[in-house]
Amino acid sequence: MTGWPAFIEPTQAAGRRFVGRRIKGGVTMLNLLRFRPVADYAAHPELAPPEPISGAAAFDRYVRHTLPFLRASGGDLVFLGEGGAFLIGPEDESWDLVMLVRQASVAAFLAFAEDEAYRAGLGHRVAALADARLLPLVERAITA
């Protein structure tokens, strides 16, 4: 892997930049995810299973918990697939899972992210991830 620091949560500055983009309409979130070999529930022991599980298994718990809230907010999981090494990119960098999440608007995304019932399961994500990237994407029309 790279010598970059791990990223799990957005910073306040990144959140301000995201909102400051003033995106009109839908937004799709590109998630690049790298799992811990064994999930670390130290920060959220109330969610820990009785026996250790892999980071991938913890993330599956996060997805199962999250989907009803995501869909209720008008969003959806557009793509979930296994990652790997880049065809074009750093040779020593790979991602375990790639996920595309679509939301109708930035406001809908922010409301979803602040939902307390959704946030109650966020510890599965924290336990699962060794590193992550989240890139907001805005669809662009193709011009001829």
Side-chain angles (χ1 to χ4, degrees):
M1 301 311 144
T2 68
W4 295 100
F7 295 91
I8 306 297
E9 298 293 331
T11 64
Q12 286 185 350
R16 283 191 298 274
R17 284 191 305 272
F18 171 57
V19 172
R21 287 177 64 182
R22 292 182 166 71
I23 296 169
K24 305 290 185 220
V27 62
T28 300
M29 298 294 194
L30 168 64
N31 294 256
L32 300 177
L33 308 162
R34 188 174 302 126
F35 299 129
R36 298 173 190 270
V38 177
D40 179 1
Y41 280 95
H44 299 276
E46 73 282 2
L47 295 176
E51 299 294 325
I53 61 174
S54 68
F59 196 79
D60 287 346
R61 288 175 180 222
Y62 167 73
V63 170
R64 283 192 304 275
H65 170 82
T66 299
L67 277 176
F69 301 104
L70 177 64
R71 289 179 175 146
S73 73
D76 206 359
L77 180 60
V78 177
F79 178 84
L80 182 68
E82 292 183 22
F86 284 105
L87 182 57
I88 299 174
E91 289 185 21
D92 65 340
E93 184 177 334
S94 67
W95 298 94
D96 297 317
L97 196 71
V98 176
M99 187 167 65
L100 291 172
V101 176
R102 177 93 174 140
Q103 268 293 357
S105 66
V106 169
F109 172 77
L110 294 173
F112 157 75
E114 292 301 319
D115 182 305
E116 288 301 318
Y118 154 70
R119 294 182 66 76
L122 201 52
H124 291 300
R125 181 182 182 279
V126 172
L129 295 177
D131 199 3
R133 301 293 183 271
L134 180 61
L135 179 62
L137 306 172
V138 179
E139 191 168 350
R140 179 173 119 167
I142 298 173
T143 57

